[in-house]
Amino acid sequence: MSSRLLAGRYELIEKIGEGGMAIVYKAKCRLLNRYVAIKTLRPEFTKDAQFVENFRRESQAAAGLTHPNIVSVYDVGQEGNIHFIVMELVEGKTLSELIEEKGRIDYKEAISITRQVASALSLAHKNQIVHRDIKPHNILITNTGVAKLADFGIAKAVSASTIIGGNNKVMGSVHYFSPEQARGAYVDERSDIYSLGIVLYEMLTGKVPFDGDNPISIALMHINEPMPSVTDEVPGLPPQLEKIIMKATDKYQTNRYRTADEMIEALDNIEFITKVMGNKAFTIPTDGFEAAEEPAAVQTQERERAHRSTEKRSEKTETDKSAEKAKKLSTAFIIGAVAVLAIAGIIGLGAMLGWFGGDNEEIEVPSFVGKTFEEAQTEAESLGLKIEKGEDVYSPDQEEGKITSQIPTEGSMVTEG
């Protein structure tokens, strides 16, 4: 189709990509004298009136989204049996190509890309648009490092790794879609957040968390298999980054971030810590982080409530030895450390970084899972420990009011009190 003129103004120059349902061309708009990308539906799909209508409606919805991290849609048209969409031409490569090229992406760059995509999703979700197919193939990275989200349900590629429903309705790419998509259940904004968590995992490790011989087996993994630990694959990552991935990819929608903005805030906390303290804040073993993070925070289960309680708590303990070591630090560093404690909600960060000494006896953390908070509190006090109740979550494994998880985990060694 190259060298053809569409709508009397778009001169097709060359094919630059294709998927199962569409072909993308580089073109020049003669009217505005600029280069654009034009996506055309494959002829075999133009005979399905419902699909063409969805194509037109969803592309028009995407055209209403103006955001630096969203590929702009300029025009939608038809010429004969050719249905096309005119979009911003992004000079760069897809995130999937970047992952294939680098293998693993540095966690700071991965955080930046994830934050940009989450920012794009924030605007889309506020406009009642759910993407439903977040994956590296739909994320374009410009030559200057800007991430741009494309294909808001416009023409998702159908391949061996894509599951479709009746009337060729694309449900999502199986390696990235949420458990509710796999079950054919209700899909909302938190389904996009799940997929973005999977993408973040792949950027950090160079591979998807769930893979198998066929789409059905992979879909079942999303429903039944626990999310693998990213720090097991890549030691030395910020522990909080793993917590973000785990929360974003929780099997239950109510346990995930409620909005993309919440996920952005969590990512910003990690960036802030890194800027203030550098990588030193994250070069300690995971057990050390867990022990210092908060005093045996436990989560109790509540089946009915979808909203979550405030996550961030902060607490700062000062001793003579901490003050003595703090004198060796610059004033700016000390101020930054206090800000990190307040913003990131990391309790005892000074102990995590080795600021606090002392010969306090370490205590092995017992398991509180399956007990009521009152029972756990009594046991903790008998051991010289303090615990705090975390958020209420849904769990199929525990009765209402029983503890379903704890941080630090059973067997971790913590200081008395």
Side-chain angles (χ1 to χ4, degrees):
M1 190 188 290
S2 58
S3 78
R4 175 165 183 169
L5 195 64
L6 284 178
R9 62 182 286 190
Y10 301 113
E11 179 186 354
L12 303 184
I13 299 174
E14 61 178 331
K15 183 170 69 175
I16 57 176
E18 62 181 304
M21 290 187 177
I23 302 174
V24 183
Y25 295 90
K26 179 180 180 180
K28 185 174 184 179
C29 174
R30 290 184 174 181
L31 183 63
L32 299 177
N33 194 29
R34 65 178 177 183
Y35 289 101
V36 295
I38 293 186
K39 176 173 289 187
T40 64
L41 270 181
R42 290 185 178 276
E44 55 266 34
F45 295 107
T46 61
K47 300 174 184 177
D48 187 330
Q50 184 61 48
F51 184 85
V52 171
E53 176 58 28
N54 290 342
F55 176 84
R56 182 182 300 276
R57 184 175 62 250
E58 294 187 11
S59 60
Q60 288 173 339
L65 300 176
T66 302
H67 191 279
N69 299 118
I70 294 178
V71 176
S72 299
V73 175
Y74 300 140
D75 194 7
V76 180
Q78 176 183 356
E79 185 170 297
N81 66 342
I82 300 174
H83 297 266
F84 63 91
I85 299 171
V86 183
M87 303 178 298
E88 170 189 4
L89 179 65
V90 178
E91 298 289 350
K93 59 187 67 176
T94 65
L95 179 56
S96 58
E97 292 171 335
L98 192 65
I99 294 173
E100 184 177 355
E101 177 184 301
K102 292 188 174 184
R104 293 175 179 173
I105 295 178
D106 177 77
Y107 84 85
K108 295 178 185 178
E109 183 180 1
I111 288 175
S112 175
I113 292 173
T114 304
R115 192 195 184 286
Q116 292 179 71
V117 176
S119 180
L121 287 176
S122 175
L123 176 66
H125 294 166
K126 288 171 184 175
N127 284 273
Q128 288 76 51
I129 297 176
V130 180
H131 192 288
R132 303 194 311 273
D133 198 19
I134 301 296
K135 60 183 179 182
H137 310 74
N138 287 339
I139 300 170
L140 305 177
I141 309 297
T142 70
N143 294 331
T144 57
V146 177
K148 287 182 174 284
L149 185 58
D151 285 351
F152 278 77
I154 293 174
K156 302 178 178 66
V158 174
S159 66
S161 62
T162 301
I163 286 185
I164 61 174
N167 299 321
N168 290 324
K169 180 182 178 183
V170 177
M171 296 167 59
S173 299
V174 69
H175 286 100
Y176 306 94
F177 70 18
S178 62
E180 57 270 20
Q181 286 173 286
R183 293 191 300 266
Y186 175 72
V187 173
D188 62 10
E189 294 87 348
R190 293 166 295 185
S191 305
D192 283 346
I193 290 173
Y194 179 95
S195 299
L196 184 55
I198 299 292
V199 171
L200 176 55
Y201 179 96
E202 184 179 3
M203 281 193 284
L204 296 170
T205 65
K207 62 182 182 180
V208 291
F210 303 117
D211 202 3
D213 296 331
N214 58 74
I216 301 301
S217 65
I218 299 172
L220 291 174
M221 290 180 185
H222 280 287
I223 296 173
N224 300 317
E225 296 294 325
M227 185 71 178
S229 168
V230 69
T231 52
D232 286 348
E233 293 287 338
V234 188
L237 291 175
Q240 193 70 13
L241 187 54
E242 171 152 37
K243 295 180 73 174
I244 290 174
I245 293 175
M246 290 299 185
K247 182 169 183 176
T249 60
D250 196 287
K251 303 297 182 188
Y252 299 95
Q253 288 159 280
T254 55
N255 291 349
R256 297 176 203 152
Y257 294 104
R258 289 177 297 175
T259 64
D261 289 336
E262 283 190 2
M263 189 172 182
I264 290 172
E265 184 178 1
L267 291 167
D268 285 346
N269 288 340
I270 298 180
E271 285 191 311
F272 184 85
I273 296 170
T274 305
K275 287 178 182 178
V276 173
M277 300 183 179
N279 289 333
K280 178 184 176 183
F282 306 124
T283 55
I284 50 92
T286 302
D287 287 344
F289 177 84
E290 289 177 341
E293 184 174 351
E294 56 184 292
V298 294
Q299 295 180 314
T300 57
Q301 105 105 329
E302 176 175 308
R303 298 179 182 275
E304 302 297 332
R305 243 168 45 187
H307 69 272
R308 310 165 71 88
S309 61
T310 303
E311 291 183 311
K312 295 191 290 283
R313 299 176 176 86
S314 66
E315 177 179 306
K316 188 173 184 294
T317 304
E318 291 192 17
T319 64
D320 292 339
K321 290 195 174 185
S322 71
E324 184 179 342
K325 289 195 175 185
K327 290 178 182 177
K328 299 178 182 179
L329 304 173
S330 68
T331 302
F333 188 91
I334 297 172
I335 294 173
V338 174
V340 169
L341 289 169
I343 296 176
I346 298 177
I347 299 174
L349 186 58
M352 181 185 80
L353 298 178
W355 294 350
F356 306 135
D359 300 322
N360 290 344
E361 181 182 355
E362 289 195 329
I363 300 171
E364 183 176 347
V365 176
S367 173
F368 298 119
V369 175
K371 301 176 182 179
T372 65
F373 180 75
E374 291 71 22
E375 292 171 342
Q377 194 170 39
T378 300
E379 181 178 354
E381 290 175 354
S382 69
L383 295 172
L385 298 176
K386 296 179 182 179
I387 67 171
E388 292 181 2
K389 182 182 291 187
E391 59 220 34
D392 294 324
V393 299
Y394 172 79
S395 170
D397 303 319
Q398 299 295 337
E399 298 176 1
E400 183 173 357
K402 296 295 182 67
I403 295 170
T404 187
S405 63
Q406 66 181 61
I407 301 174
T409 57
E410 177 186 8
S412 301
M413 302 303 293
V414 297
T415 304
E416 181 177 358

